[in-house]
Amino acid sequence: MSLTRPLPHAGQPRTTRDTPGAAGEAADAAQCAARLEALLGDFRDPRNPYGRQTLWATGRADLPAPPAGLPGVVDVPAADRLARALRPLFRRDLALAHAWSISPLLSTPVPHPAAALLGPAALLAVAGGVLRSTTRIVDGLGRHEPAARQWQPVLASVFADLLACESLTAVALRSCPGPDTAGPTTPEREAERPLAAVVGYLVPELVGELLGDLELVLTECGFNGDTLERRTLARILRDRGFARTDWTAAGAARTRIVQGLNAAGGSWPDDGPERAALFRITEAAPAGASGTDGLRFVAATLADAAGRPVDEGGTGALARVARRLLVEQRALRAACAATAVHDPADPAARALADRQAWLTLAAATLGVRETAAGGPETTAGGRESTAGESGRLPRRSCGESAVRKTVAGERTAFLGGTDWALLALGRIIARLGLPVPDRSPDPQPGVWEELARRAANGVDCDLYATRLP
């Protein structure tokens, strides 16, 4: 991605030099993200051209130019790693993310296949920032005002939904074809990328709902429109259309889902190794996973999870949920196959598209959770073997070094646990109008505990539990 009008002294000094030896380091998404964080500088510094005060006083037409060294597809060609490398920019400002990364990728002669997915990824990042600040408020008030604790389950549910959307977006990014094999964008090629359509529809729809929940919590906690948190929320809502993550974009994506419903009536071969590679977010995807038909894994993933042994714990509850979703998936396949061509103007076709989107979200959630539970950093029970019994971040009482040592283990341990997946899947089942299976444990306390720990220790609400500066 070519850059124009660089600002050589914006933010903080660069932390690496442009030497041939640095090329290998630039390929690592985490290192690229750390370098970008340094380039953007302190968000609270009023003298920083990329700081909050400057950005809020600047219109969309006068946004500052990007700094030299902004990661692009040359540095990080894999779509999922590119999104992770750009996460500091996404957290910073939605309009800035569109102007610096999304718009250039969309304006090339052959738009990058990941361009349409970076908008939802940016929306998730900024929503996570509002969730962290709201969590700190509720956590602080709850220690002195018991009434504030009523919002803890609400915020836990928002966190679970965001993690589910992050899982779906990560899987869709990993299934993106490379820019050299994508070819020109045509209706036929759009139909071949059903996962991208589901992300483009479901993430704006669901995150819009979650932002409304956060606004309600802030209002009830006494934070009006003049506060920093409410101004941040208002800016996100203002810039959603600019970043192509508003209701209009979501409607266009649902149209693409409807147009591909006839394919949803077909069969899904059990492409186990390829499917597992899409879910293994902590490692680079093999070349064979690129361009995989995203919807092939839905029924297979649900069937795998439904076949797990049923016990009285969280794993058994996940298996029961998966069985219920698998029955719904089979009914959907039959309904899709009953009609050769689905009309986007038909309410019945749109309802089928909604069901397909929610089932795809459920499959991504189950796939990421099960892959994390079977990772080398976890025990058979899904807990990290060296980070203590809880497998979660120490909260407030530990020093900086102790926190840093447990971040990597906490990521896999929490994702491999059942709480967040049970909470997210329970909400998906409710949205599908299905009854929740019996004997399911209450996952909200564990999810709230994790969210409060992350907010207190400066850890992002992403899948990777990224340590924030």
Side-chain angles (χ1 to χ4, degrees):
M1 176 167 50
S2 60
L3 302 177
T4 58
R5 301 183 294 112
L7 295 180
H9 302 295
Q12 295 182 1
R14 297 190 61 173
T15 57
T16 60
R17 295 180 298 173
D18 290 327
T19 62
E25 295 181 0
D28 184 85
Q31 291 184 358
C32 286
R35 185 177 68 174
L36 177 57
E37 194 79 68
L39 289 171
L40 293 175
D42 188 351
F43 196 29
R44 298 162 296 183
D45 185 356
R47 300 167 298 177
N48 183 3
Y50 309 136
R52 179 194 302 121
Q53 184 173 325
T54 304
L55 291 176
W56 284 6
T58 304
R60 293 174 185 164
D62 301 314
L63 290 171
L70 181 73
V73 294
V74 175
D75 305 297
V76 191
D80 61 321
R81 296 305 175 101
L82 177 62
R84 188 178 179 188
L86 291 171
R87 180 88 177 190
L89 172 62
F90 295 166
R91 285 195 303 261
R92 180 68 52 111
D93 187 75
L94 196 55
L96 211 61
H98 181 267
W100 288 5
S101 61
I102 302 171
S103 183
L105 291 178
L106 287 171
S107 60
T108 57
V110 179
H112 193 284
L117 291 168
L118 293 183
L123 183 60
L124 288 169
V126 294
V130 179
L131 174 59
R132 288 195 311 276
S133 60
T134 307
T135 300
R136 287 193 296 269
I137 291 169
V138 170
D139 192 26
L141 291 175
R143 279 176 264 146
H144 310 286
E145 302 176 19
R149 297 171 194 165
Q150 65 180 309
W151 304 115
Q152 293 178 1
V154 175
L155 297 182
S157 298
V158 172
F159 184 34
D161 282 348
L162 284 181
L163 286 175
C165 288
E166 291 261 10
S167 301
L168 174 64
T169 305
V171 172
L173 284 164
R174 302 202 82 188
S175 70
C176 274
D180 54 339
T181 61
T185 301
T186 63
E188 291 76 16
R189 283 197 173 271
E190 289 290 345
E192 293 172 1
R193 299 184 58 209
L195 268 180
V198 172
V199 171
Y201 167 58
L202 207 54
V203 171
E205 286 276 344
L206 185 51
V207 173
E209 176 186 327
L210 301 180
L211 291 175
D213 292 341
L214 294 175
E215 183 178 21
L216 172 63
V217 174
L218 288 171
T219 300
E220 292 297 319
C221 290
F223 286 73
N224 56 35
D226 295 330
T227 58
L228 174 63
E229 292 76 14
R230 289 293 298 275
R231 290 183 64 190
T232 302
L233 187 59
R235 183 174 177 86
I236 295 172
L237 297 175
R238 187 201 72 177
D239 291 336
R240 287 187 62 188
F242 181 64
R244 300 188 181 187
T245 56
D246 60 350
W247 314 118
T248 301
R254 183 165 69 173
T255 295
R256 297 197 300 273
I257 299 175
V258 171
Q259 292 168 344
L261 281 176
N262 58 328
S267 61
W268 281 275
D270 187 5
D271 53 343
E274 221 174 9
R275 182 161 41 88
L278 292 175
F279 295 135
R280 197 172 295 113
I281 61 167
T282 57
E283 300 175 8
S290 181
T292 298
D293 180 359
L295 292 185
R296 289 175 62 187
F297 73 68
V298 176
T301 301
L302 295 178
D304 284 353
R308 298 288 185 266
V310 176
D311 55 31
E312 295 303 317
T315 305
L318 280 178
R320 289 190 291 273
V321 168
R323 290 174 184 177
R324 186 145 295 176
L325 291 170
L326 184 59
V327 172
E328 177 70 9
Q329 175 67 30
R330 290 168 177 164
L332 175 64
R333 289 174 63 182
C336 291
T339 304
V341 179
H342 298 271
D343 184 1
D346 182 5
R350 294 198 297 269
L352 291 177
D354 287 351
R355 290 165 65 189
Q356 180 62 67
W358 289 116
L359 287 168
T360 305
L361 181 65
T365 301
L366 279 166
V368 168
R369 181 265 156 191
E370 295 214 345
T371 303
E377 293 175 312
T378 58
T379 62
R383 294 187 174 186
E384 203 271 339
S385 58
T386 60
E389 177 62 24
S390 68
R392 298 190 177 101
L393 276 172
R395 187 177 178 188
R396 297 190 184 95
S397 60
C398 290
E400 179 73 13
S401 60
V403 170
R404 288 186 179 275
K405 287 179 181 178
T406 57
V407 167
E410 180 273 346
R411 172 190 65 205
T412 306
F414 179 68
L415 282 184
T418 59
D419 284 347
W420 75 274
L422 274 176
L423 185 52
L425 292 170
R427 289 166 65 80
I428 291 172
I429 283 181
R431 292 178 174 110
L432 286 168
L434 303 175
V436 178
D438 296 332
R439 306 191 312 279
S440 293
D442 183 8
Q444 283 184 344
V447 177
W448 163 254
E449 179 189 356
E450 173 67 18
L451 175 60
R453 290 176 188 273
R454 291 197 184 193
N457 290 309
V459 176
D460 201 353
C461 292
D462 61 348
L463 295 173
Y464 306 95
T466 303
R467 178 71 177 170
L468 300 175

